Amino acid sequence: MQERHEEHQAPLAPLTTFRLGGPANRLITAVTDDEVIAAVREADAAGTPLLIIGGGSNLVIGDKGFDGTALRIATRGFALDGTRLELAAGENWSDAVARTVEAGLAGVECLAGIPGSAGATPIQNVGAYGQEVAATITEVVAYDRRAEETVTLTNAECAFSYRHSRFKAQPDRYVVLRVRFALEDAGGLSAPLKYPETARVLGVEAGQRVPAATARATVLALRAGKGMVLDADDHDTWSAGSFFTNPVLTEAEHAAFVARVHDRLGPDTAPPAFPAGDGRVKTSAAWLIDKAGFPKGYGTGPARISTKHTLALTNRGEATTEDLLALAREVRDGVHAAFGVTLVNEPVTVGVSL
């Protein structure tokens, strides 16, 4: 078995898609589940702060770095049995999606091109273009730091909701090791398309199916057009993708929000609105940012809004984390001043906060 790799005063910025953040006191790269568990147990027994890193696509690490042990999960494993899929936490998510589509299976094809590791997907309940992993995940195998044992959580026990889960609610309790999915054999076709933009581009009605490979290719093209597919030469992709989640408002909050929109933009302006259950309404963070006066490309410093998508904050190459946070606060505060809605950051912050 390959021994784990350990470094001291290790740079963390290269392990994140933002390419930001200072060093960790210690960085352990684990390539097996046993190595992951051993590193976690060791840190917990010593009372050492622990930072789990997968693909680094959802991390904002402070300029001072991390005063503790960073554990990079580099486990590998892609096991397909009929329509059942098991992924090791360290598997590249986008590559795994491509392999399911090649196998003619449906269920995650519209999640193509999302950066990061498979183990991160249940934490955030990753979703895009009408799909989210909660719809196909059957079980998550994780190390429970409180019980000091490996546990298997059912879909219901994961408590999935919009961009949220039990793992995100208890960030210091579980370390994801494996994720299991139930996909669909639809004869090479996709799952029914739920996202209007995808259906429109494909020239079909929402609810119809298309070849899964076509759905994947379409989503990749749409993401690339928004700077949401990683490209080392394109600073619009030096980001964490969507920096803010789409706000979900109560009926009263939504009514107050619409009134603010009418006051600011005129009575004929209808902000995006999507039913979110329990009488709540989800609106678009990208729309809010743009209408509050922060268009694509906004900013003059080394951290700016993407030139392709208002929802992505980017490092233009020389930014610090503090530059990024200053921009994020400016956008958040500007949106609140304009519309009374408080945007919430989607990436996890380490050693810093908005």
Side-chain angles (χ1 to χ4, degrees), residues 40 44 50 143-149 171-175:
V40 174
D44 287 351
L50 183 67
Y143 177 68
D144 183 341
R145 297 167 68 181
R146 185 183 301 171
E148 298 184 15
E149 64 181 11
D172 297 323
R173 180 166 180 182
Y174 297 101
V175 179

Side-chain angles (χ1 to χ4, degrees), residues 51 118 151 163 242:
L51 172 63
V151 296
R163 300 297 177 271
S242 300

Side-chain angles (χ1 to χ4, degrees), residues 27 141 158 233 272 284 319-320:
L27 171 65
V141 180
C158 292
D233 295 326
S284 163
T320 64

Side-chain angles (χ1 to χ4, degrees), residues 35-67:
E35 286 179 3
V36 172
I37 293 168
V40 174
R41 282 180 168 160
E42 181 184 311
D44 287 351
T48 304
L50 183 67
L51 172 63
I52 306 295
I53 300 178
S57 60
N58 206 41
L59 277 181
V60 177
I61 298 172
D63 292 317
K64 291 182 179 178
F66 184 67
D67 186 14

